[in-house]
Amino acid sequence: MLNGILVIDKDKGMTSADVVYHLRKALHIRKIGHAGTLDPEVTGVLPIAIGQATKLIELMHTRPKEYIGSGLFGYATDSYDSTGTVLKKTKLTKAFTSEDIQNHMNEFLGEIEQVPPIYSAVKVNGKHLYEYAREGIEVERPKRKVDILQYDLTNKPTFNEKDGQEEFDFKIKCSKGTYVRSLVNDLGEKMNCPAVMTYLRRVASSGFDISQAVKLSEIEENPEKAAELIQPIDAFFKDYPQVDLSEGKWLKVKNGAGISLEIDAKKVALRYNKKVKAIYENKGKLYRPSLMLLQNE
């Protein structure tokens, strides 16, 4: 039985749910879920939790995500990306400087309130925003707080004098729930020039990066390779303080009992037989269960 995280490099044109569906068929495993939806047009890191690792999905969402992408000053769309209907157009007569763009990007750093695009999966009254958009129904979009850890210009922008447009590349590190499309659209609003996202690739998520990723097709063609490529559950907790349990303490942990530990940490990964069995949290005099794994006892 497979237990762990398979880091998939999602191709363009697929939904995150499509990836899960294909992996279920290829691996003949029902217990699979993804951490962090990627839009069909976006490629890159999609962590897939398999077996007991599905217990980690909520925790996986708490880790930052990293993206590289491109945007264009000159027009804006209803979807905030190049697939949408054009709403505004402006022909630039001169280029923005790198310094000007970066200074405005810096204004988004930290905790901000963001309005999701109308073409998004956010729900209002039990209905996705994109469903309202397709039906032409106006609805108030809920604001959400997100954390922007990095928003950087990654090279010199390219100005097309003939079209009056300027293309720029960026790197973003952010919390869950952040819409990068909105960050590009909102950057344009700050600079008084419509802007649209033209390309996006996620390069890291849930503590895993693109160097650990594999194409879905590779697993479908050789399902047995999943056992070699899967990241063990323990890899997710590599930054946690680790405690190896004696047999006596393991018996207590196995039953969910509180234990005393000679360590000062908020949360610890408890190991037995060289595997993380549980995450315990400091509750004063004793450490008590935060997450039980008990993988392959």
Side-chain angles (χ1 to χ4, degrees):
M1 172 73 177
L2 285 175
N3 284 300
I5 295 128
L6 199 55
V7 186
I8 296 293
D9 179 0
K10 188 186 84 67
D11 289 325
K12 194 173 180 178
M14 294 192 85
T15 67
S16 301
D18 288 338
V19 175
V20 170
Y21 171 77
H22 284 280
L23 283 173
R24 278 201 180 115
K25 281 185 70 178
L27 302 175
H28 306 291
I29 296 173
R30 294 293 308 161
K31 211 171 180 183
I32 297 181
H34 65 79
T37 303
L38 277 180
D39 288 340
E41 293 297 305
V42 181
T43 67
V45 173
L46 181 67
I48 304 289
I50 298 174
Q52 289 215 39
T54 53
K55 294 179 181 179
L56 306 181
I57 288 176
E58 285 307 309
L59 268 180
M60 290 167 78
H61 283 307
T62 65
R63 301 270 176 96
K65 306 174 195 307
E66 294 181 36
Y67 299 87
I68 57 171
S70 302
L72 188 74
F73 291 114
Y75 74 94
T77 70
D78 55 358
S79 64
Y80 298 174
D81 65 17
S82 54
T83 66
T85 302
V86 176
L87 298 179
K88 295 179 197 171
K89 263 192 172 183
T90 296
K91 195 166 184 178
L92 294 173
T93 54
K94 68 173 186 175
F96 292 117
T97 65
S98 297
E99 186 180 24
D100 196 19
I101 297 170
Q102 185 61 63
N103 285 341
H104 282 89
M105 285 177 166
N106 291 344
E107 292 178 37
F108 291 90
L109 296 177
E111 189 177 73
I112 64 167
E113 267 196 344
Q114 189 181 64
V115 177
I118 189 63
Y119 282 95
S120 66
V122 173
K123 284 188 174 182
V124 174
N125 298 325
K127 196 170 176 177
H128 297 292
L129 284 178
Y130 63 75
E131 293 177 293
Y132 288 107
R134 286 170 185 166
E135 292 170 23
I137 300 170
E138 286 194 20
V139 64
E140 188 175 346
R141 288 174 279 167
K143 289 182 179 178
R144 52 167 69 181
K145 286 186 177 178
V146 295
D147 200 14
I148 311 303
L149 306 169
Q150 179 185 8
Y151 193 0
D152 284 336
L153 196 63
T154 52
N155 54 32
K156 189 177 178 181
T158 306
F159 181 55
N160 184 322
E161 193 173 357
K162 182 187 170 187
D163 295 335
Q165 296 177 339
E166 185 171 14
E167 190 171 10
F168 61 97
D169 297 329
F170 58 81
K171 183 171 185 180
I172 287 173
K173 187 175 182 180
C174 56
S175 67
K176 71 169 184 175
T178 304
Y179 276 93
V180 176
R181 285 180 282 152
S182 292
L183 286 177
V184 174
N185 178 81
D186 297 351
L187 175 67
E189 288 186 357
K190 274 193 183 289
M191 300 184 72
N192 295 313
C193 179
V196 67
M197 188 184 79
T198 56
Y199 166 77
L200 191 64
R201 180 165 174 77
R202 188 155 72 190
V203 293
S205 179
S206 304
F208 301 98
D209 64 43
I210 200 71
S211 69
Q212 298 163 296
V214 59
K215 291 286 187 183
L216 173 63
S217 57
E218 197 173 335
I219 300 297
E220 289 186 297
E221 289 162 17
N222 300 287
E224 67 282 355
K225 285 195 79 173
E228 301 167 31
L229 296 165
I230 200 165
Q231 303 293 324
I233 287 173
D234 291 27
F236 184 75
F237 298 108
K238 64 182 185 294
D239 296 330
Y240 280 54
Q242 310 269 321
V243 174
D244 287 301
L245 298 171
S246 64
E247 190 173 351
K249 282 196 170 171
W250 162 233
L251 288 172
K252 287 184 177 180
V253 167
K254 200 173 175 181
N255 292 310
I259 59 171
S260 59
L261 294 171
E262 291 180 8
I263 191 171
D264 183 17
K266 188 179 178 184
K267 285 188 178 182
V268 295
L270 302 182
R271 289 162 48 93
Y272 186 70
N273 280 345
K274 299 180 179 178
K275 284 194 174 180
V276 174
K277 301 291 187 179
I279 303 301
Y280 264 42
E281 193 170 359
N282 192 334
K283 294 290 185 182
K285 291 182 180 179
L286 295 177
Y287 281 80
R288 298 194 180 276
S290 173
L291 177 68
M292 301 297 288
L293 295 164
L294 309 180
Q295 47 175 310
N296 300 335
E297 293 175 36

